[in-house]
Amino acid sequence: AQSVAQPEDQVNVAEGNPLTVKCTYSVSGNPYLFWYVQYPNRGLQFLLKYITGDNLVKGSYGFEAEFNKSQTSFHLKKPSALVSDSALYFCAVRKNNAGNMLTFGGGTRLMVKP
Amino acid sequence: ETGVTQTPRHLVMGMTNKKSLKCEQHLGHNAMYWYKQSAKKPLELMFVYSLEERVENNSVPSRFSPECPNSSHLFLHLHTLQPEDSALYLCASSPRSGADTQYFGPGTRLTVL
């Protein structure tokens, strides 16, 4: 079975500082990995995904994530945080050729303070 | 906005009521999904429809009954719910079943009294 862990319930960072939101996964075979963001009273918005190829994936709003196969991680990063980045972030994994089963992590709340 | 709409946005119902949640996607997608988002729990996939046929039923109680009359519309019929069913119900769609990126609606906040 596939699983995703987001070890931090909350990450606090000052505006302008770099941010990292951690994600580790467990899946047999090659994973498809995703990051979604949820703003208050909104649904999830797609940020970026890794399917294959370059381990560094660039996505929306200046976010990027690095796929690390040996550490089974897919951490979300941004060089300079904005207060407007404050939201709930979800990592998700799907096993290649596993149909529709997208497994989500528990979410990490990012708080960016001015 | 993502092109996926959900109505109503908020719903309060008693345990004996019957209500329905509606989802509509304007993206020309062929697959639609229902998820449940509860406080302090990961997102739970409930149902998946592909080309109006249910392809996934993730051990959901029978008091939740999905319906997909066409590829643009998805309903979740609710009856005799329990207070623990209170949650945010999210609809999503993707170009096809098993496709990579799912696009989510804003959700329906359900409260069962």
Side-chain angles (χ1 to χ4, degrees):
Chain A
Q2 56 201 42
S3 65
V4 178
Q6 293 180 243
E8 303 153 315
D9 287 340
Q10 182 161 318
V11 169
N12 297 310
V13 66
E15 188 175 30
N17 283 1
L19 69 88
T20 299
V21 182
K22 295 180 180 177
C23 172
T24 59
Y25 66 91
S26 173
V27 66
S28 58
N30 295 321
Y32 287 6
L33 293 156
F34 303 81
W35 276 102
Y36 284 85
V37 61
Q38 185 177 32
Y39 297 100
N41 301 314
R42 303 284 292 275
L44 275 66
Q45 295 180 34
F46 170 74
L47 273 181
L48 52 80
K49 66 184 178 186
Y50 171 82
I51 304 299
T52 187
D54 193 350
N55 288 346
L56 185 64
V57 179
K58 294 187 183 296
S60 307
Y61 312 121
F63 283 93
E64 58 188 30
E66 186 167 10
F67 171 62
N68 188 317
K69 189 172 184 178
S70 63
Q71 296 186 4
T72 62
S73 67
F74 189 56
H75 301 331
L76 182 70
K77 300 182 179 184
K78 187 173 181 180
S80 179
L82 300 172
V83 173
S84 57
D85 292 330
S86 300
L88 193 54
Y89 290 80
F90 291 94
C91 181
V93 66
R94 180 167 75 81
K95 181 180 173 180
N96 191 4
N97 297 324
N100 306 295
M101 288 299 295
L102 197 63
T103 301
F104 283 84
T108 298
R109 184 164 301 280
L110 174 67
M111 298 290 291
V112 181
K113 298 182 179 178
Chain B
E1 298 301 327
T2 62
V4 181
T5 58
Q6 290 186 242
T7 54
R9 294 293 307 274
H10 301 271
L11 178 63
V12 179
M13 59 186 290
M15 290 165 52
T16 58
N17 292 156
K18 290 185 180 180
K19 296 287 184 182
S20 295
L21 310 185
K22 180 182 176 182
C23 175
E24 184 173 1
Q25 56 95 1
H26 312 275
L27 302 169
H29 290 170
N30 289 321
M32 297 187 76
Y33 311 77
W34 278 117
Y35 287 87
K36 178 182 178 182
Q37 186 178 21
S38 306
K40 301 184 183 298
K41 290 180 69 175
L43 230 64
E44 301 171 64
L45 178 66
M46 300 175 72
F47 302 104
V48 181
Y49 276 81
S50 175
L51 295 171
E52 302 140 46
E53 186 176 333
R54 191 189 310 179
V55 297
E56 198 83 45
N57 179 347
N58 216 18
S59 302
V60 179
S62 59
R63 57 186 183 268
F64 295 92
S65 175
E67 178 190 2
C68 188
N70 55 62
S71 59
S72 298
H73 294 87
L74 184 66
F75 294 90
L76 188 63
H77 303 300
L78 317 171
H79 64 97
T80 59
L81 294 191
Q82 305 297 312
E84 60 264 28
D85 296 323
S86 298
L88 182 67
Y89 288 84
L90 292 165
C91 174
S93 71
S94 64
R96 59 192 181 277
S97 171
D100 300 335
T101 303
Q102 296 176 20
Y103 296 85
F104 285 79
T108 295
R109 173 70 61 188
L110 174 67
T111 303
V112 182
L113 301 177

